[in-house]
């Protein structure tokens, strides 16, 4: 380029920008009949940007724009220490782009030579290389070593700023991500560090020193599909572009992963929305079709309650359903349990009198997560109605409208207890937890509520007792206001979250020819979430 007007500025990350005016562009493309001058004048400047990256690698992004399109040519230079020369790699399919790139590069050649003396930040400003061949010799060398090829992968460049402990990865679509060096080294995928068959990290953490992790060399390999790192100790790691992109540290990606693969967010509902949120599925479809099984699980997670219809009228169907997901959760009441009116029982659920709204087994540290209640015989009396309410929605209402009551119910430890004898023999269970349990982020995690199982031992400061009772009375009152009432029919399996829903039953009357008969069982949420991930994984593969 004949004497172009240039402005230069050294950016913090050692990026040099060379701005060329339209006259320089016209000169660079002189003789190209396919590029009308009116298009070249459509933009005020051409930007030639030289960026230093690790492993003695320089990317030069040369962009020239018209009013119709923006074309880009990428030139990558690798300093090969063993051969003491550069190899140039061009991205772009058209030979004309190579010619244009050579012409523009020739115009900025002396500027690039000056930049080379700056050195890479990690090298203490030592010379980046000793000499630069002419642009045409670079082209000839590239062709001779087979380096002239189309970049087809998604990684454009990698770079570690001098003041950072992160590796910056730029994709061809413009996305930029940062990955901590210590995380990359810890997650090396080579066979010495990772056992692929068990998806397990196996490198020796007793010898792992986060402070000493450093990169000796880093390049983009396999046509942009791999980041190839040589660490300070000579160990080598390769990371697939898709693998890195899936695990990028952006907030959006983290939220998407947690929603998709960890625990999808629940959709809280009120009484008037029950008809909309209650989904139902055919028992046979859940047992035989993976897509129906997944739909049932997703509805159970989202809404907390789902109905399964037309199950056979035997006592084994809850087990079949549980085995479809994982396995039954056994408690001191056994695996399956029979809910019938029994004289001399130690459990109020086995009475025909009204059963207050509650969650099951609040006296378990890790209580069963999901209830399965299979109706074999329903009472013909006017009673026996199921009651259910979304206690998460009520707790959220308390947080918004009655924050002090919410604080008392979420901070005050309550003693939950159960004493008796059943299939598992004699038992005496005690667990201390608030009525409203929150996770580390303040999100609703578990509801504990059972009037019969709330112990008379209340180990709290004296002045907190009466305020807690007032808060609890408000909570129970709203639960009953939000409770829906319906009656399951023979063949129905009512499935619901035992950590979110509260449930109960109106009183009923048995007769000699009509005895209400329900079979119950439990599932753990760990198994439910696990099965959902397996089903999603099959689809993604």
């Amino acid at each position: 380029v004949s004497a172009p007007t240039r402005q230069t500025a050294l950016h913090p990350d050692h990026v040099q920008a060379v701005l060329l005016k339209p006259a320089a562009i016209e000169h660079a493309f002189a003789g190209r009949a396919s590029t009308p001058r009116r298009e070249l004048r459509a933009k005020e400047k051409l930007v030639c940007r030289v960026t230093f990256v690790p492993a003695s690698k320089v990317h030069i992004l040369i962009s020239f724009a018209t009013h119709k399109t923006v074309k880009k040519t990428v030139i990558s230079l690798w300093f090969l220490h063993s051969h003491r020369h550069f190899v140039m790699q061009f991205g772009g399919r058209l030979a004309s782009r190579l010619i244009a790139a050579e012409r523009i590069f020739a115009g900025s050649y002396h500027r690039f030579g000056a930049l080379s003396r700056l050195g890479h930040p990690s090298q203490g400003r030592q010379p980046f290389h000793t000499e630069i061949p002419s642009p045409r010799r670079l082209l000839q060398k590239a062709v001779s070593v087979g380096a002239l090829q189309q970049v087809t992968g998604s990684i454009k460049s990698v770079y570690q700023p001098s003041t950072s402990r992160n590796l910056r990865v730029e994709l061809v679509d413009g996305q930029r991500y940062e990955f901590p060096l210590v995380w990359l080294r810890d997650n090396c995928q080579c066979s010495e560090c990772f056992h692929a068959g068990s998806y397990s990290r196996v490198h020796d953490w007793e010898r792992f020193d986060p402070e000493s992790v450093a990169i000796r060399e880093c390049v983009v390999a396999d046509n942009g599909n791999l980041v190839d790192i040589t660490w300070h100790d000579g160990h080598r790691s390769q990371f697939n572009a898709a693998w890195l992109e899936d695990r990028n540290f952006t907030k959006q990606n983290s939220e998407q992963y947690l929603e998709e693969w960890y625990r999808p967010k629940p959709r809280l509902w009120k009484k008037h929305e029950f008809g909309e949120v209650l989904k139902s599925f055919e028992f046979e479809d859940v047992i035989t079709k993976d897509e129906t099984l997944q739909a049932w699980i997703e509805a159970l997670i989202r809404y907390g309650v789902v109905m399964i219809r037309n199950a056979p009228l035997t006592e084994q169907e809850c087990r079949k359903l549980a085995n479809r997901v994982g396995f039954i959760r056994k408690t001191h009441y056994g695996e399956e349990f029979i809910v019938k009116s029994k004289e001399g029982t130690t459990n109020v659920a086995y009475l025909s009198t009204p059963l207050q709204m509650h969650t099951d087994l609040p006296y378990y540290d890790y209580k069963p997560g999901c209830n399965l209640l299979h109706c074999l015989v329903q009472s013909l009396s006017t009673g026996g109605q199921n009651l259910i309410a979304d206690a998460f929605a009520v707790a959220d209402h308390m947080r918004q409208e009655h924050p002090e009551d919410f604080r008392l119910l979420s901070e005050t430890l309550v003693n939950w207890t159960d004493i008796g004898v059943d299939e598992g023999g004699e038992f005496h269970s005690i667990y201390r937890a608030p009525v409203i349990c929150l996770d580390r982020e303040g999100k609703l995690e578990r509801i504990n509520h059972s009037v019969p199982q709330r112990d008379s031992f209340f180990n709290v400061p004296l002045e907190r007792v009466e305020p807690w009772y007032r808060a609890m009375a408000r909570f129970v009152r709203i639960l009953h206001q939000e409770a829906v009432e319906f009656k399951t029919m023979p063949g129905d399996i009512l499935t619901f979250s035992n950590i979110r829903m509260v449930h109960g039953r109106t009183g009923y009357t048995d007769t000699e020819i009509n005895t209400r008969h329900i079979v119950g069982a439990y599932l753990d949420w760990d198994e439910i979430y696990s099965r959902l991930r397996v089903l999603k994984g099959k689809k993604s593969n």
Side-chain angles (χ1 to χ4, degrees), residues 52-333:
F52 286 93
V53 294
S56 302
K57 181 177 178 180
V58 179
H59 278 278
I60 305 172
L61 174 62
I62 300 178
S63 304
F64 54 96
T66 70
H67 71 287
K68 292 183 178 179
T69 183
V70 175
K71 301 178 181 178
K72 293 184 179 180
T73 299
V74 178
I75 306 174
S76 299
L77 300 176
W78 283 269
F79 183 42
L80 306 182
H81 296 279
S82 59
H83 296 91
R84 307 297 295 174
H85 65 258
F86 277 89
V87 176
M88 176 179 285
Q89 179 175 358
F90 285 87
R93 297 182 179 179
L94 301 178
S96 60
R97 291 193 182 185
L98 301 181
I99 297 171
E102 182 191 3
R103 287 176 175 169
I104 298 174
F105 183 75
S108 302
Y109 176 76
H110 65 281
R111 177 62 59 187
F112 177 69
L115 284 174
S116 70
R117 291 190 290 275
L118 289 172
H120 187 269
S122 66
Q123 298 175 342
R125 300 180 66 85
Q126 294 299 314
F128 199 62
H129 59 277
T130 55
E131 63 178 43
I132 305 177
S134 70
R136 186 165 296 281
R137 283 179 57 199
L138 287 173
L139 285 172
Q140 293 170 348
K141 177 63 70 175
V143 174
S144 67
V145 299
L148 190 60
Q149 53 186 300
Q150 173 71 17
V151 178
T152 59
S154 61
I155 301 175
K156 177 181 174 182
S157 64
V158 290
Y159 173 46
Q160 182 193 353
S162 59
T163 58
S164 175
R165 294 276 294 164
N166 298 337
L167 182 70
R168 293 182 184 176
V169 177
E170 182 177 359
L171 306 185
V172 294
D173 63 3
Q175 293 290 329
R176 295 180 181 179
Y177 304 117
E178 292 198 18
F179 299 94
L181 300 186
V182 66
W183 176 85
L184 288 167
R185 181 61 188 90
D186 182 43
N187 287 282
C188 175
Q189 299 293 292
C190 80
S191 58
E192 294 180 20
C193 299
F194 185 78
H195 185 257
S198 62
Y199 298 95
S200 299
R201 183 185 295 106
V202 293
H203 67 78
D204 186 0
W205 246 77
E206 186 179 356
R207 300 180 180 180
F208 186 78
D209 180 12
E211 299 298 328
S212 67
V213 173
I215 289 178
R216 178 190 299 174
E217 185 179 29
C218 181
V219 297
V220 178
D222 190 25
N223 286 336
N225 289 307
L226 287 177
V227 173
D228 193 331
I229 299 174
T230 302
W231 300 99
H232 68 290
D233 58 0
H235 190 82
R236 186 180 178 188
S237 302
Q238 291 186 328
F239 299 96
N240 179 273
W243 188 93
L244 286 172
E245 191 167 6
D246 283 346
R247 291 159 178 79
N248 77 74
F249 284 82
T250 61
K251 181 180 179 181
Q252 179 182 1
N253 189 62
S254 294
E255 290 176 349
Q256 181 178 342
Y257 171 80
L258 294 176
E259 173 69 18
E260 181 70 17
W261 292 101
Y262 181 55
R263 296 184 178 181
K265 295 177 183 177
R267 194 275 212 190
L268 309 188
W269 52 269
K270 295 185 177 181
K271 181 178 182 177
H272 68 274
E273 299 173 295
F274 184 68
E276 173 190 342
V277 303
L278 181 64
K279 310 300 179 185
S280 64
F281 299 92
E282 290 294 310
F283 178 83
E284 186 64 23
D285 290 343
V286 174
I287 296 299
T288 60
K289 299 177 181 178
D290 281 354
E291 58 270 25
T292 308
L293 175 63
Q294 180 174 337
W296 166 56
I297 292 175
E298 289 174 336
L300 187 62
I301 293 170
R302 184 164 175 77
Y303 303 113
V305 56
V306 184
M307 189 72 77
I308 295 179
R309 308 281 189 186
N310 297 316
L313 301 181
T314 76
E315 293 185 352
Q316 287 73 49
E317 306 315 310
C318 282
R319 179 176 293 275
K320 290 180 184 177
L321 183 58
N323 289 344
R324 185 76 168 100
V325 175
F327 44 84
I328 283 179
R329 165 69 185 275
K330 187 175 182 178
T331 71
H332 53 230
Y333 291 110

Side-chain angles (χ1 to χ4, degrees), residues 95 209 300 401 414 434 452 460 463 479:
D209 180 12
L300 187 62
E401 301 298 328
V414 177
V460 299
E463 63 275 11
L479 282 176

Side-chain angles (χ1 to χ4, degrees), residues 359 362 367 405-416 431-438 445-450 454 458 460 464 468 472 475:
T359 61
K367 71 175 180 178
D405 289 347
F406 178 86
R407 186 188 67 80
L408 285 166
L409 296 179
S410 61
E411 294 180 0
T412 305
L413 293 176
V414 177
N415 292 25
W416 308 98
Y431 180 61
R432 300 186 73 222
V435 172
I436 301 173
C437 298
L438 307 177
E445 185 174 52
R446 164 175 166 169
I447 299 294
N448 296 305
H449 173 47
S450 179
R454 181 161 45 79
F458 196 18
V460 299
R464 179 172 285 200
W468 181 89
M472 189 64 191
F475 181 66

Side-chain angles (χ1 to χ4, degrees), residues 279-482:
K279 310 300 179 185
S280 64
F281 299 92
E282 290 294 310
F283 178 83
E284 186 64 23
D285 290 343
V286 174
I287 296 299
T288 60
K289 299 177 181 178
D290 281 354
E291 58 270 25
T292 308
L293 175 63
Q294 180 174 337
W296 166 56
I297 292 175
E298 289 174 336
L300 187 62
I301 293 170
R302 184 164 175 77
Y303 303 113
V305 56
V306 184
M307 189 72 77
I308 295 179
R309 308 281 189 186
N310 297 316
L313 301 181
T314 76
E315 293 185 352
Q316 287 73 49
E317 306 315 310
C318 282
R319 179 176 293 275
K320 290 180 184 177
L321 183 58
N323 289 344
R324 185 76 168 100
V325 175
F327 44 84
I328 283 179
R329 165 69 185 275
K330 187 175 182 178
T331 71
H332 53 230
Y333 291 110
E335 293 186 340
E336 295 106 329
F337 51 90
I338 307 300
V339 182
K340 282 185 176 181
S341 179
K342 303 176 185 177
E343 293 185 6
T345 181
T346 60
N347 190 324
V348 295
Y350 300 157
L351 301 174
S352 61
T353 55
L355 183 61
Q356 297 186 64
M357 301 267 281
H358 65 286
T359 61
D360 283 1
L361 286 71
Y363 39 81
Y364 269 73
D365 184 353
Y366 184 63
K367 71 175 180 178
C370 177
N371 294 51
L372 312 175
L373 296 179
H374 181 200
C375 178
L376 297 184
V377 179
Q378 184 55 274
S379 174
L380 297 178
S381 69
T382 56
Q385 298 277 345
N386 296 87
L387 302 172
I388 200 163
D390 188 348
F392 274 15
V394 174
D396 188 62
H397 170 81
M398 295 280 288
R399 191 197 316 242
Q400 301 299 325
E401 301 298 328
H402 309 284
E404 180 58 21
D405 289 347
F406 178 86
R407 186 188 67 80
L408 285 166
L409 296 179
S410 61
E411 294 180 0
T412 305
L413 293 176
V414 177
N415 292 25
W416 308 98
T417 187
D418 195 20
I419 302 173
V421 58
D422 209 287
E423 185 175 313
E426 294 181 296
F427 54 84
H428 184 167
S429 299
I430 301 176
Y431 180 61
R432 300 186 73 222
V435 172
I436 301 173
C437 298
L438 307 177
D439 66 13
R440 295 177 183 86
E441 297 177 337
K443 297 177 182 177
L444 296 166
E445 185 174 52
R446 164 175 166 169
I447 299 294
N448 296 305
H449 173 47
S450 179
V451 173
Q453 272 75 51
R454 181 161 45 79
D455 204 342
S456 56
F457 286 94
F458 196 18
N459 306 112
V460 299
L462 188 63
E463 63 275 11
R464 179 172 285 200
V465 174
E466 192 165 340
W468 181 89
Y469 270 92
R470 286 196 295 266
M472 189 64 191
R474 188 193 299 274
F475 181 66
V476 173
R477 185 165 59 250
I478 299 174
L479 282 176
H480 280 268
Q481 291 171 358
E482 289 296 325

